[in-house]
Amino acid sequence: MKFISNICSSLWPELSGELKGRETQWSIDSSIRYPLLGMIKPAAFWFVVSLIFGLIASIKLHSPGFLGSCEWLTYGKVEPVFWNSLIYGWLFNAGLACAFWLLARLGGAPIGNGFLLTVSLSIWNVALVVGLIGILMGGTLPLNWRESLTVSGQLPYEWLEMPPFIAPILLASFIGMGLWGLLTFRERVHRASYASQWYVLAALFAFAWIYTAAQIMLIREPSQGSLQYLVGSWYANNLLMIVIVPLALACVYYLLPKALGTPIVGYNHSGRAFWSWFIFASCAGSAELINGPIPAWVTAVGIIAAFGILYPLTVFGIQFLSTLFANFTRIWDTLSLRFVLFGCIGFIVFGAYYIYGSLRSTQEVAQFSSFSNGVQLLGLLGFASMIFSGFLYFILSRLLNKELPSAALAEIHFWMQLSGVLLLVSSLITGGLQEGELMNGSTVSVLSIVVNLKSYYVMASLGMFLMLLGAIAFLVSFTLFMFSTRSEKEETGTLIGESPELEASVS
Amino acid sequence: MNRGPFIFVGLFIVLAFSWANLVNRPIQQSGQLSAIYDDSERKPRIAPGAADQGKLVYQQMGCVSCHTQQTRLTVGSDIDRAWGIRQSVARDYVGQYPALIGDRRIGPDLSNVGAKELDSEWHHLHFYNSQITSAGSNMPSYSFLYDVRPVIGQPSDRALDLPEGYEVDPGYEVVPTRRAEALVAYMLSLKVDYDLPEAPSPEKIGL
């Protein structure tokens, strides 16, 4: 098979650093320890917060009386707070922490500019708190506040619900973080670049671009009526497909060879997979707008683009899964790899559902149901969140030069996250298909559909609850990591020796 | 692929392509739509001021997480459910900012809810507690949009007529706040019951 021969011919960036080995790594890690921990702390916090909101929203669908009299926690507010804190809180902080760590490590030299990163990420997180409170406050303000800049009512665009005045602050702080990434890449010692670096740079650039475009076209110079719907969905699709997914892909490309000690199978297909992913995924979102009040050809383009994703998806599937399965016995013992294995499987399933969901015939059934939320959560929680979790365990012990404080907690995190995602996503997807069949395919009253779907709503809540337990286990685990005292072995700095697995890639 | 600039330029082109084709071109094509006047009737209609404030409440409460405002003709059962009389088209949303089109339906579509036989009394009871009008619904209660206050002198004529099992303490009454009044006015203003030349309807396509 071609791919097997590719193992041998895999393109590897050459080693050209001056300092070698653990000493360099240690000096790199020390140079970024402070800002990176500054991102992992809020990440762990947001992970728990977002799932608390997710759980509240989910419970409200089967028991609407739950926290029912509290205006701040009405369903229409907790639901967007869940999504926004999940994405901009947990996935952005965790994803960027992983991405920056691998940029620094692959660059091969200690990094300065920590101040820039620390300031930007602090502003990002503070702005996020304010923005989410803005969503929650949406209604408590008297009507005549509507003219004021601060609270103008929740915006109805997916993942852009935060008050408009927050957007420039978020963008500026993101650009600060992105600049840090760019400088790190520029100052690298190893001139050759590796797939992980492309994905990180691309994701940084893509977010700055789509966020600016969406803000201008929705808020500063709003486009007309139904076109806002188009811009909003273009943004949300791209946020998922060309910002968050690439960050997670970067981690997979880095972690697999590192932790397994073998190169990625078929690595030389990575360039084509990279470009085709961005070309197709950035156009595929409009498939869901089918039969809406927008030009029909736009959705047709979306459907075609969604099919284009098949190519990079196949490449990723073959690369990741063959690399993993070639070393299957080692996966189970390494926690990070177990996360990555299930994350990769989650990604393939996500991609398949994404393409399936863009078919005309699927949309006829599933449009406006929980199906598409299920697919999005599969990508966000089943893929990105799994990968980032595994990667964080991998980098934390290196950053802090400590051993995992409690294997049991990490196991709980793993199993809760896995079972929670399975329950949540399967209830949203299968429940969504059933919901759609009743909503779109019959005239059964909405009231009886709601009653009919109750068991799915309960299942989704259970899934959210399990995920929340997992997130809490991660938070506790991380806190122990931070505060545990170092053992003698850890003190001497030899904990992470030059194990063969770390020699597999650049640094 | 060793150079950063190559990635940036390439990506810039990819994203520019996506944006230009999927966002900018439709805007150039149909972004200049305007309302049409037909027998001196403006289409789409202009909602009264109170409805405008109600729309803000609708936004603040995030009703869009559960309700769309768009109907489809050739697929789904929107027309059979009487959620609309025809396909929604771009011109229906002219002048709306933000347009509350939505993409998630846990409850019914609301684009034409004002044309239904639901009066303001029904809407108030429904918002106060959806169980009163629709037992088993998971639509949240918006009771915080209502004041419970002691009856002083004559009971208010705006007080809700709560059925058995939902009454408040004797001597008290439930009165809609301005926000509740505005929200109901917005509901009653939502009417897409007019025809547009470009909008497919069951009659036009012979369904």
Side-chain angles (χ1 to χ4, degrees), chain A residues 218-233:
Chain A
L218 291 176
I219 291 154
R220 307 292 140 192
E221 303 275 327
S223 24
Q224 203 174 48
S226 62
L227 297 164
Q228 298 157 19
Y229 177 53
L230 179 65
V231 179
S233 95

Side-chain angles (χ1 to χ4, degrees), chain A residues 137-175:
Chain A
M137 288 191 8
T140 50
L141 295 158
L143 276 177
N144 53 15
W145 274 49
R146 59 196 301 254
E147 249 75 52
S148 92
L149 247 189
T150 46
V151 175
S152 56
Q154 189 194 112
L155 292 168
Y157 316 114
E158 200 178 15
W159 305 345
L160 283 172
E161 289 94 345
M162 281 186 273
F165 76 94
I166 279 297
I169 307 175
L170 282 180
L171 184 64
S173 59
F174 182 83
I175 288 176

